[in-house]
Amino acid sequence: MDASAPVLVGIDGSTASVRAALWAADEAAARDTVLELVYVVDPARVDDIDEAVAKAHKAIRRATTAITDADNHVKLESEILHGNPILELAHAARGAALLCVGYKGSKDSAPLARGATASNLARIAPTSVAVVRRRRMRSPPRLHRWIVAVVDETPESHTVLQAALDEADHRGAPVLALTTWSDGHPHPRAMPDSDEAGHVRASMDGYLDDPHHLSADVRICTLPLPGDVTALLERTAGIEQLFVISARRHDLVDQLTGDSARRALRGTNCSILVVRASDTVGADGVTPA
């Protein structure tokens, strides 16, 4: 991905989306790139388009003010689109470094389930997606909370681990790598050829064991990946800052954006970063689920 690629954030007028914008502003500043605020007006769900557009401008101003008040020195751009929010945000994210959305939105009511926009974008967006959960508007996440990365026998794990290390370096946090081979249960997506899976495991073990790969300020630990990551979240209050997974791990995307995870994460600052490698994007610019 181009280092100058922008960070996008979906704005819908909800408090959760403003908090996502603040989180995204930190990411854009760390990457020295533009932050784009994108609001999607859905004609199918509004009675008056002009009124909806006015509401969109108001929501963008609110997010912009929050970012400015937080002293985030980042270049801001904004855009109002028309159409289905999930599809429009996914298409807008083509060429972006990251798409950020709040874990719930202002339209969390029938016919969409709570958090439906966020969970669907985590599955189909052509770039990495951060589903942001933040309890307060302007206070930063507490330091020394774990960045958790799921590392399996697939090549995508290199990208996942690097993303976790980058976030850990940025936030001054330790990394907990949950590995699928620690307990002898390989992930089913690993190549049936044991030599292939073994090569990836050996490569990842070497990476984890070699301090030259790590920032001097980043501490890393490993544990076996549990069968249900939401159970780990429920019993471990310290895992509260960021959970990093591959977009190809549909099982984990489902777990971490589902109802059980939402209950486990209620009242926490734990966001979900779904990492997508650039070579997984389809010809139409949106990666199929």
Side-chain angles (χ1 to χ4, degrees), residues 1 9 12 14 50 66 69 89 113 119 131 177 208 223 233 276 283:
M1 179 64 67
V9 58
D12 66 359
S14 67
D50 291 338
D69 288 350
L89 284 172
S119 60
V131 180
L208 293 170
L223 284 175
L233 294 171
R276 191 179 300 280

mmCIF file of all heavy atoms in Angstrom, residues 1 9 12 14 50 66 69 89 113 119 131 177 208 223 233 276 283:
data_model
loop_
_atom_site.group_PDB
_atom_site.id
_atom_site.type_symbol
_atom_site.label_atom_id
_atom_site.label_comp_id
_atom_site.label_asym_id
_atom_site.label_seq_id
_atom_site.Cartn_x
_atom_site.Cartn_y
_atom_site.Cartn_z
ATOM 1 N N MET A 1 0.843 -1.197 0.000
ATOM 2 C CA MET A 1 0.000 0.000 0.000
ATOM 3 C C MET A 1 0.869 1.234 0.000
ATOM 4 O O MET A 1 1.851 1.327 0.729
ATOM 5 C CB MET A 1 -0.916 -0.016 1.246
ATOM 6 C CG MET A 1 -1.835 1.206 1.349
ATOM 7 S SD MET A 1 -3.031 1.299 -0.009
ATOM 8 C CE MET A 1 -4.054 -0.128 0.348
ATOM 9 N N VAL A 9 -12.722 7.424 7.291
ATOM 10 C CA VAL A 9 -13.591 7.102 8.424
ATOM 11 C C VAL A 9 -15.030 7.370 8.016
ATOM 12 O O VAL A 9 -15.349 8.393 7.411
ATOM 13 C CB VAL A 9 -13.210 7.899 9.697
ATOM 14 C CG1 VAL A 9 -13.270 9.399 9.457
ATOM 15 C CG2 VAL A 9 -14.109 7.517 10.869
ATOM 16 N N ASP A 12 -21.643 9.074 10.505
ATOM 17 C CA ASP A 12 -23.093 8.980 10.338
ATOM 18 C C ASP A 12 -23.864 9.811 11.360
ATOM 19 O O ASP A 12 -25.077 9.690 11.475
ATOM 20 C CB ASP A 12 -23.550 7.518 10.391
ATOM 21 C CG ASP A 12 -23.329 6.881 11.758
ATOM 22 O OD1 ASP A 12 -22.809 7.566 12.668
ATOM 23 O OD2 ASP A 12 -23.673 5.695 11.921
ATOM 24 N N SER A 14 -23.494 9.623 14.630
ATOM 25 C CA SER A 14 -23.499 8.978 15.945
ATOM 26 C C SER A 14 -22.255 9.340 16.732
ATOM 27 O O SER A 14 -21.209 9.699 16.180
ATOM 28 C CB SER A 14 -23.580 7.459 15.786
ATOM 29 O OG SER A 14 -22.391 6.958 15.186
ATOM 30 N N ASP A 50 -32.703 16.604 0.706
ATOM 31 C CA ASP A 50 -32.070 17.866 1.102
ATOM 32 C C ASP A 50 -31.845 17.912 2.612
ATOM 33 O O ASP A 50 -30.791 18.352 3.082
ATOM 34 C CB ASP A 50 -32.936 19.049 0.666
ATOM 35 C CG ASP A 50 -32.957 19.226 -0.848
ATOM 36 O OD1 ASP A 50 -32.013 18.737 -1.510
ATOM 37 O OD2 ASP A 50 -33.915 19.833 -1.364
ATOM 38 N N ALA A 66 -14.445 17.941 16.758
ATOM 39 C CA ALA A 66 -13.874 17.042 17.763
ATOM 40 C C ALA A 66 -12.397 16.789 17.488
ATOM 41 O O ALA A 66 -11.567 16.776 18.411
ATOM 42 C CB ALA A 66 -14.646 15.727 17.798
ATOM 43 N N ASP A 69 -10.449 20.058 18.237
ATOM 44 C CA ASP A 69 -10.369 20.294 19.680
ATOM 45 C C ASP A 69 -9.391 19.356 20.368
ATOM 46 O O ASP A 69 -8.855 19.674 21.430
ATOM 47 C CB ASP A 69 -11.748 20.141 20.320
ATOM 48 C CG ASP A 69 -12.689 21.287 19.969
ATOM 49 O OD1 ASP A 69 -12.206 22.291 19.393
ATOM 50 O OD2 ASP A 69 -13.899 21.170 20.249
ATOM 51 N N LEU A 89 -19.136 2.873 1.189
ATOM 52 C CA LEU A 89 -17.915 2.969 1.991
ATOM 53 C C LEU A 89 -16.868 1.975 1.503
ATOM 54 O O LEU A 89 -15.672 2.287 1.461
ATOM 55 C CB LEU A 89 -18.225 2.737 3.474
ATOM 56 C CG LEU A 89 -18.895 3.900 4.207
ATOM 57 C CD1 LEU A 89 -19.327 3.464 5.600
ATOM 58 C CD2 LEU A 89 -17.957 5.105 4.298
ATOM 59 N N ALA A 113 -29.258 -5.086 11.788
ATOM 60 C CA ALA A 113 -28.928 -5.417 13.170
ATOM 61 C C ALA A 113 -27.908 -4.431 13.699
ATOM 62 O O ALA A 113 -27.218 -3.747 12.944
ATOM 63 C CB ALA A 113 -28.374 -6.842 13.236
ATOM 64 N N SER A 119 -19.731 -4.712 10.805
ATOM 65 C CA SER A 119 -19.410 -6.128 10.610
ATOM 66 C C SER A 119 -19.376 -6.489 9.132
ATOM 67 O O SER A 119 -18.527 -7.277 8.695
ATOM 68 C CB SER A 119 -20.400 -7.020 11.363
ATOM 69 O OG SER A 119 -21.723 -6.800 10.909
ATOM 70 N N VAL A 131 -12.743 -1.507 13.413
ATOM 71 C CA VAL A 131 -14.042 -1.319 14.062
ATOM 72 C C VAL A 131 -13.729 -0.748 15.444
ATOM 73 O O VAL A 131 -13.238 -1.459 16.323
ATOM 74 C CB VAL A 131 -14.817 -2.645 14.160
ATOM 75 C CG1 VAL A 131 -16.161 -2.419 14.843
ATOM 76 C CG2 VAL A 131 -15.017 -3.247 12.768
ATOM 77 N N ALA A 177 0.711 -12.478 20.943
ATOM 78 C CA ALA A 177 0.470 -13.244 19.723
ATOM 79 C C ALA A 177 -0.203 -14.563 20.097
ATOM 80 O O ALA A 177 0.363 -15.362 20.850
ATOM 81 C CB ALA A 177 1.777 -13.502 18.991
ATOM 82 N N LEU A 208 9.173 -14.169 15.691
ATOM 83 C CA LEU A 208 8.816 -13.879 17.077
ATOM 84 C C LEU A 208 10.021 -13.956 18.009
ATOM 85 O O LEU A 208 10.096 -13.235 19.011
ATOM 86 C CB LEU A 208 7.736 -14.856 17.550
ATOM 87 C CG LEU A 208 6.372 -14.724 16.871
ATOM 88 C CD1 LEU A 208 5.484 -15.899 17.249
ATOM 89 C CD2 LEU A 208 5.704 -13.414 17.271
ATOM 90 N N LEU A 223 0.745 -17.074 23.292
ATOM 91 C CA LEU A 223 -0.134 -18.041 23.943
ATOM 92 C C LEU A 223 -0.855 -18.827 22.853
ATOM 93 O O LEU A 223 -0.976 -18.348 21.719
ATOM 94 C CB LEU A 223 -1.180 -17.335 24.821
ATOM 95 C CG LEU A 223 -0.747 -16.766 26.171
ATOM 96 C CD1 LEU A 223 -1.919 -16.017 26.806
ATOM 97 C CD2 LEU A 223 -0.270 -17.867 27.098
ATOM 98 N N LEU A 233 -11.724 -12.716 25.835
ATOM 99 C CA LEU A 233 -12.048 -11.322 26.120
ATOM 100 C C LEU A 233 -12.857 -11.195 27.412
ATOM 101 O O LEU A 233 -12.666 -10.264 28.192
ATOM 102 C CB LEU A 233 -12.837 -10.720 24.958
ATOM 103 C CG LEU A 233 -12.093 -10.569 23.629
ATOM 104 C CD1 LEU A 233 -13.063 -10.158 22.533
ATOM 105 C CD2 LEU A 233 -10.967 -9.561 23.748
ATOM 106 N N ARG A 276 -6.238 -6.670 5.794
ATOM 107 C CA ARG A 276 -6.360 -7.271 4.478
ATOM 108 C C ARG A 276 -5.122 -6.933 3.660
ATOM 109 O O ARG A 276 -4.797 -5.752 3.485
ATOM 110 C CB ARG A 276 -7.606 -6.766 3.751
ATOM 111 C CG ARG A 276 -7.930 -7.564 2.490
ATOM 112 C CD ARG A 276 -9.183 -7.061 1.818
ATOM 113 N NE ARG A 276 -10.362 -7.126 2.650
ATOM 114 C CZ ARG A 276 -11.079 -8.216 2.866
ATOM 115 N NH1 ARG A 276 -10.707 -9.360 2.321
ATOM 116 N NH2 ARG A 276 -12.149 -8.183 3.619
ATOM 117 N N ALA A 283 -11.137 -7.868 -8.717
ATOM 118 C CA ALA A 283 -11.051 -7.001 -9.877
ATOM 119 C C ALA A 283 -12.006 -5.833 -9.801
ATOM 120 O O ALA A 283 -11.774 -4.774 -10.380
ATOM 121 C CB ALA A 283 -11.333 -7.812 -11.150
#
